[in-house]
Amino acid sequence: MDPRKLSDHFSVAPQIEPEDVAKLAEMGFRTLITNRPDEEIEDEDHRSANMAKLAAKAGMNYHYLPYYPGEMTFDLVADYEAIMKSAPKPAFGYCRSGTRSSHLWGMSQAGRMELDKIVETAANAGYDHSSLMPVLKFYATRRGKNG
């Protein structure tokens, strides 16, 4: 397991193992978010239904929010933001490499945090968000216009 902190409330990682769920709870994480679609996962033990059971057993809140490669949408970001608004913190998200989970965090920060700071924070966690800059700018503008 390779946790990478993006904020005081959210960390990400590449695919975790089922036994990592209890470890995350022991580390103080209160919410687990799976962003990897079940269709990508061959091993049943790594699919969302099992991870949800393990999270419940560990006393963690659980959310399955599949993010399909190349399919970033405003609805997906809104769903992530709704989870983060109501979920007990800190939260932990994962996907195959952690990139999609970090992208959702970055998009949720557009318009709230300086865009260069989003890219820098992601880079410090090992994720290159520089290619997201156009969509971050667009989303920040959209957020500004829509409150």
Side-chain angles (χ1 to χ4, degrees), residues 1-16 24 27 29 80 90-102 105 121-129:
M1 181 172 48
D2 181 19
R4 302 173 189 190
K5 186 176 179 177
L6 294 172
S7 75
D8 289 340
H9 301 294
F10 191 62
S11 295
V12 300
Q15 177 70 52
I16 62 172
L24 288 167
M27 293 168 65
F29 288 100
Y80 169 81
F92 187 92
Y94 73 93
C95 57
R96 187 187 62 75
S97 69
T99 300
R100 287 174 277 178
S101 297
S102 72
W105 170 83
T121 300
N124 289 340
Y127 298 103
D128 182 1
H129 283 196

Side-chain angles (χ1 to χ4, degrees), residues 59-94:
M60 295 177 76
N61 189 287
Y62 180 81
H63 295 275
Y64 176 60
L65 182 64
Y67 174 2
Y68 295 86
E71 296 186 18
M72 170 71 71
T73 66
F74 291 120
D75 288 342
L76 183 65
V77 175
D79 290 346
Y80 169 81
E81 290 175 334
I83 289 168
M84 289 302 292
K85 184 176 181 179
S86 65
K89 314 284 186 304
F92 187 92
Y94 73 93

Side-chain angles (χ1 to χ4, degrees), residues 80-145:
Y80 169 81
E81 290 175 334
I83 289 168
M84 289 302 292
K85 184 176 181 179
S86 65
K89 314 284 186 304
F92 187 92
Y94 73 93
C95 57
R96 187 187 62 75
S97 69
T99 300
R100 287 174 277 178
S101 297
S102 72
H103 282 179
L104 287 171
W105 170 83
M107 292 296 292
S108 76
Q109 298 307 302
R112 295 184 171 105
M113 177 187 271
E114 293 294 325
L115 300 183
D116 289 341
K117 184 67 174 167
I118 294 169
V119 173
E120 177 186 339
T121 300
N124 289 340
Y127 298 103
D128 182 1
H129 283 196
S130 60
S131 65
L132 275 184
M133 191 58 86
V135 72
L136 287 169
K137 286 178 183 177
F138 178 79
Y139 199 79
T141 300
R142 181 176 185 262
R143 182 184 305 271
K145 290 180 179 174

Side-chain angles (χ1 to χ4, degrees), residues 16-85:
I16 62 172
E17 296 299 320
E19 60 270 17
D20 292 335
V21 176
K23 293 174 188 173
L24 288 167
E26 290 171 8
M27 293 168 65
F29 288 100
R30 299 181 61 210
T31 298
L32 181 63
I33 303 170
T34 299
N35 297 124
R36 189 169 189 193
D38 281 340
E39 295 89 343
E40 291 182 7
I41 303 169
E42 291 184 26
D43 183 351
E44 295 271 338
D45 291 342
H46 289 86
R47 290 193 180 149
S48 61
N50 188 55
M51 298 304 256
K53 288 177 190 172
L54 294 171
K57 184 177 178 182
M60 295 177 76
N61 189 287
Y62 180 81
H63 295 275
Y64 176 60
L65 182 64
Y67 174 2
Y68 295 86
E71 296 186 18
M72 170 71 71
T73 66
F74 291 120
D75 288 342
L76 183 65
V77 175
D79 290 346
Y80 169 81
E81 290 175 334
I83 289 168
M84 289 302 292
K85 184 176 181 179

